[in-house]
Amino acid sequence: MHLMSVNPGQAGPGSLGNEPRDAKDEQLDRFRSAPRHDALTTDQGVRVDDTDNALRAGQRGPTLLEDFHNREKITRFDHERIPERVVHARGAGAYGYFETTESLAEYTCADFLSEVGRRTPVFVRFSTVQGPRGSADTVRDVRGFATKFYTREGNYDLVGNNMPVFFIQDAIKFPDFVHAVKMEPHNEIPTGASAHDTFWDFCSLQPESTHMLMWLMSDRAIPRSFRMMQGFGVHTFRFVTADGRGTFVKFHWKPKLGVHSLVWDETQLIAGRDPDFNRRDLWEAIEAGEYPEWELGVQLVPEADEHKFDFDLLDATKIIPEELVPVRPVGRLVLDRNPQNFFAETEQVAFHTANVVPGIDFTNDPLLQGRNFSYLDTQLIRLGGPNFAQLPVNRPVADVNNNHRDGYGQQVIHPGTNYFPNSLGGGCPAHAGAGGAPGVFRHYQERVDGHKIRVRSESFQDHYSQATLFWNSMADWEKRHIVQAFRFELGKCDSMAVRERMVGNLAHVHPDLAAGVAEGLGLPVPAAAGTVTGAASPALSQANLLGEGIRTRKVAVLAADGVEVPPLEEVRRELVGQGVIVEVLAASGGTLTGKDSGTLKVDRALPTMASVLYDAVLVPGGDDAVATLAADPAAVRYVEEAYRHGKPLAALGSGSRLLAAARLPEAVAGGAGRELGVFTSAGSGGVARDFAQALGRHRFPNRPGLL
Ligand code: HDD
């Protein structure tokens, strides 16, 4: 099949009309279709002379049924929607590649992980979990991080999240969990939020959720960007060698830009100012050639060590602390191409945990085992039948050759026999891999011996130790944010019993946490429950995950006529040199007149943006410009809000008067500004470097007066 017709004017992103980037892109190109002719046709290819007026009996008469164009057009429109994903409905995706940087051939026969330098095409979809397709991006929620590797040995899907653990241990609880967290059934409230009774009712009765709740109440649940979050395969999987040797493995994605988050007040403002905040950020970065990148790391555990830990490797509510088993970097993921059609690609992509390739296998994690049923099942209803693997985004680049036939939307004309064994078709398709040939999936041969029982293993019963480990590992400001998040969420629950029960659970995690939350809710502080260890894992704190550089950080420059241009340009050069996006904002668009000479182009009008859409604010000097800005409440608000959200602020020369107009707390005016990320200077001298460094720290969470 070859639908492509090149029309460069309409090509958009992707390879239409350009050289394909890899095997997947080449395959996709065969399905891309840009309008070839000017003339409009029906689905049957019949040219149509009018698509604005239905066929009618007389100028003012009734519309006629025989107007096949009208009926086709409306029918096609009526059928445009498909069911959204039952969870993870809102998402954004991109293509790219995975490159192996360290061979894992010693542990797995997976071809794509065996050769250093091998590049495998991928499609990645990021998502929120709770909200519907149209919900806001910046809600407090887990983020999905699903990767489809189009390997030469078939598709491998790593369907992970940005948190390394999960709410439940057994997949049979998934419908209960999702019912509880989704909008309540009677009124479909709240959209994109877990701050409601049914969620906390469920969790408070389900202590196995506690560790995951710690992550969900932490800043991990409000990422600054999909490009700035970690990803985790969550489960313990199994690598298998060609001779059948197994090794346990956990997968980690680590973003090059570091792990950074929004702050809670900001997320709510962004939800109004730009509900597409994360989606837009991903799209724009890729369009700008700032390709997001992650390192793939693996934690490997020999089978002999399966029982050496004080938790069960099969329990998805547990991590393997990096201090016990280091994360070994083995590859990098780069996203370098936006999709061309959201529906065709991002909406129709179908992930499935059971899409594995030779060398990667499952463990008996009961959550994973259930997922292996659910994903195929859900695609059948969501994508309308069994042929969804033929959709362009889902097609493997490896050959597909079997006796599966027919079904809705079959795209392939299969001549010949459709059964096995056969002689009439020459015995084909034949069993692969006689004599141990490589590239054939062979299930790991695990000996299994047990009674048929509905029992949760004893080794799954410790629900609090790792929640405590997480708490202990947080910086003070991270702890503060966690307490505030619990207060907010539980404060939204009408049921006092739910609030109390949950606070009771938190007493098992840490007395400080329980006390902080209880005080915020006006509840009695519960007595400490059990012994709480002091163990910590520094790798869990975002304070230790700042990443490399400040590329794509966004700085708002507030300006008006009379702005001092040269010092600003000096700072701008320094920042842009480090990859920062600097945008000049003024009351209206156009060009500003500089103080003594020169002009300054306005990139955006102040009212169309907001401080929450930037990482930092810079105020250039120029008496007249600063006076204009200081008299504009919208400009003052940029400074004040950026300060209260902990973002770096800089003022050049008289620009500091705008900071004064924003009435920043005494401590800043009193000279403690530098340590708190607020920089002022007579000219531009030194500010650029300090400001850039401050951007690298992301936020100053210890400022007084933060929201
Ligand atoms: Fe799931 C979607 C991640 C547990 C059932 N899940 C889905 C997506 C991600 C995850 C990232 C979106 C994929 C996309 O972008 O299309 N899910 C996880 C993780 C889990 C997890 C990391 C725990 C470790 N999920 C889980 C369980 C079940 C499901 C226990 C069912 C028993 N998940 C689904 C699903 C979805 C899904 C219903 C909805 C849409 C889809 O699959 O394609 O089958």
Side-chain angles (χ1 to χ4, degrees), residues 128-130 139-143 161-167 177 181 192-196 199-200 203 209-223 261 264 470 474 478 481-486 489 542:
T128 53
V129 179
Q130 197 265 13
V139 297
R140 176 176 296 283
D141 200 351
V142 182
R143 298 299 184 285
N161 281 338
N162 73 332
M163 300 177 189
V165 289
F166 203 63
F167 295 95
F177 160 68
V181 71
S194 52
H196 60 115
F199 175 68
W200 289 101
C203 291
S209 306
T210 313
H211 186 194
M212 181 63 163
L213 289 175
M214 298 299 293
W215 286 82
L216 186 67
M217 294 303 111
S218 80
D219 292 353
R220 302 281 188 142
I222 45 175
S261 292
W264 177 238
F470 185 78
M474 296 292 104
E478 291 179 296
H481 290 180
I482 291 171
V483 169
Q484 283 161 1
F486 271 112
E489 297 261 323
Q542 283 183 237

Side-chain angles (χ1 to χ4, degrees), residues 5 10 66 408 495 519:
S5 55
Q10 305 199 14
E66 72 178 57
Y408 287 111
S495 163
E519 278 161 18

Side-chain angles (χ1 to χ4, degrees), residues 85-88 125 127 144-146 159-161 166 168 171 174 234-235 349 351 367 370-371 374-375 378-379 382:
R85 288 168 175 81
V86 60
V87 283
H88 296 265
R125 183 174 179 273
S127 47
F145 190 141
V159 197
N161 281 338
F166 203 63
I168 47 170
F174 192 66
V234 180
H235 310 280
V349 68
F351 294 95
L367 196 69
R371 292 180 75 193
S374 183
Y375 288 73
T378 206
Q379 312 307 355
R382 191 171 76 80

Side-chain angles (χ1 to χ4, degrees), residues 203-242:
C203 291
S204 64
L205 294 166
Q206 191 75 33
E208 71 201 53
S209 306
T210 313
H211 186 194
M212 181 63 163
L213 289 175
M214 298 299 293
W215 286 82
L216 186 67
M217 294 303 111
S218 80
D219 292 353
R220 302 281 188 142
I222 45 175
R224 155 68 177 81
S225 161
F226 293 139
R227 303 176 294 128
M228 299 172 196
M229 47 181 217
Q230 278 178 293
F232 302 91
V234 180
H235 310 280
T236 305
F237 294 90
R238 199 187 311 260
F239 275 155
V240 187
T241 56

